[in-house]
Amino acid sequence: MIKIIRYIRGYIELSISGSRPETFLNVMTANGIAVWGVRSHEGVIYCKTLVVNYRYIYKLSRKKSIKIRIVEKTGIPFFANKNKKHIGIPIGAICFALIFGFLSRYLWYVDIYGYENMSKSRADTVMKEIGVYEGAKGKFDSLRNLQTKALIALGDVSWITINTDASTAEVKITETTVKTAEPDDKHYNIIAKCDGQIIRADVQKGMSYVQGGDAVVKGNLLIGGFVQTDLGSTMLDTAQGVVMAKTLHTEHIAIPKTETYRKYEDSTVTRRNAKVFGIYFPLEMRCIKAGRETIGFKREYALDFKGKTAPVCTVNEHIYYLDNEETKINEQSAEKLFKAERLLCELFSYSDKKIIDRNITKSADDNYFYYDIEYSCEEDIGEKAEILLDEDFYYDGTFLEE
């Protein structure tokens, strides 16, 4: 604390030389002048004292035939005198401290995490509605009340935790665990979802209505949801099994001979903005050419103080002009595009099928190259279909008389 007071008042280091400088040091002490850091070097004594004592020390040295000299000056008075032409520096520092202290009363950053199925925009909107957002006052009367309001607003979360630390709010959202589906009390048949020729029917539960070599069309019954009881009756149940069949599928792919695509210009327009508590302030006024189609993206550069994000950041907006450009596609290029389209089609539409053979037919007109593909496949053609009973049909849940 003493060092701080000395620095604020300002102090100097003196060199004392002449006849018997140590005696002069005692005279200074006897006159109530505080000194410290006393040392001696080659007959010269060095000591430190407050700057306000210098004039009195100088008068004493004239009477004692002692030579004194200021070796070093330290403290705020000397710093202020040296930089008096730059008065804006201390004023700016004081203003910064005042503004920083004022802004520290508000939330600078809100960190929301823990959600998976919920969208970020919804979480941000709800938190803003209850008063937790960048720029809100950081002192809340009751965090528990805020948590309750957020739970009611969101509805599909099990818990929300809100913690505040200085100018940062941390919000953890715990979503409700998805409940398992309740048992289905309905009964189902297995029917054909497409035309085909049966290869085999592996029945796990129910009654098979087809066998190898049979031809079926879409909607035909393959496995009935009925179980024969020991009493000779037929009871409703859900059919289970796999029915493999040979199937035919066709795909039609058209490749245009002229393709128009968008091209970015090499030159871009960059506009810089400042973002303070979510409000944008333009730093550059650059206009976009009228009638031109553009695409752009923004990149934020936030200020960070020891892991704490400030509510002030710079935003660079990069804007690209788009131009439409046409290109001609020859037969060789169309073949490459067709192969890519075919691979994507087989990846997404035929991943559950075994492709036995494919027959490709090509054709063209003035505008397109056409490719017709006929696939021969092996697949499970069964799909569930609910057993619907007539309104006047009575079933007590045990069995049906044949």
Side-chain angles (χ1 to χ4, degrees), residues 155-204:
D156 55 353
V157 298
S158 60
W159 190 248
I160 292 178
T161 303
I162 302 176
N163 295 315
T164 58
D165 179 18
S167 298
T168 301
E170 185 181 82
V171 181
K172 181 180 179 181
I173 298 176
T174 304
E175 294 181 323
T176 305
T177 304
V178 179
K179 297 181 179 179
T180 56
E182 296 181 358
D184 191 354
D185 57 354
K186 299 177 182 179
H187 303 286
Y188 297 88
N189 292 322
I190 294 181
I191 63 174
K193 62 183 178 182
C194 62
D195 302 345
Q197 184 179 14
I198 303 300
I199 299 175
R200 67 180 186 277
D202 300 327
V203 180
Q204 299 173 4

Side-chain angles (χ1 to χ4, degrees), residues 2 6 9-14 16 25-38 47-54 56-57 60:
I2 295 177
R6 288 172 178 172
R9 297 184 64 183
Y11 62 90
I12 56 177
E13 184 176 10
L14 300 175
I16 306 173
L25 189 62
N26 294 332
V27 171
M28 291 171 56
T29 305
N31 283 271
I33 300 174
V35 296
W36 68 91
V38 179
C47 66
K48 297 178 182 179
T49 185
L50 295 177
V51 67
V52 295
N53 299 327
Y54 178 72
Y56 189 54
I57 295 172
L60 289 176

Side-chain angles (χ1 to χ4, degrees), residues 267-278:
S267 59
T268 61
V269 177
T270 301
R271 295 191 294 196
R272 293 175 175 81
N273 305 274
K275 181 182 176 183
V276 182
F277 289 118

Side-chain angles (χ1 to χ4, degrees), residues 7 33 37 40 47 66 73 87 98 120 129-130 173 183 193 196 224 235 258 279 285 291 331 376-377 388 396 399:
Y7 186 82
I33 300 174
S40 176
C47 66
I66 292 295
K73 302 176 182 179
I87 191 64
L98 294 175
K120 184 179 185 302
E129 288 176 353
I130 66 173
I173 298 176
K193 62 183 178 182
M235 187 174 71
T258 302
I279 302 175
M285 303 298 293
E331 187 174 357
S376 298
C377 304
L388 301 177
D396 62 6
F399 64 89

Side-chain angles (χ1 to χ4, degrees), residues 107-115 120 123-124 127 132-134 160-163 167-173 307 309:
L107 290 181
W108 290 13
Y109 180 68
V110 178
D111 182 19
I112 305 175
Y113 65 96
Y115 56 88
K120 184 179 185 302
D124 291 340
M127 297 313 298
V132 181
Y133 57 92
E134 294 179 3
I160 292 178
T161 303
I162 302 176
N163 295 315
S167 298
T168 301
E170 185 181 82
V171 181
K172 181 180 179 181
I173 298 176
T309 304

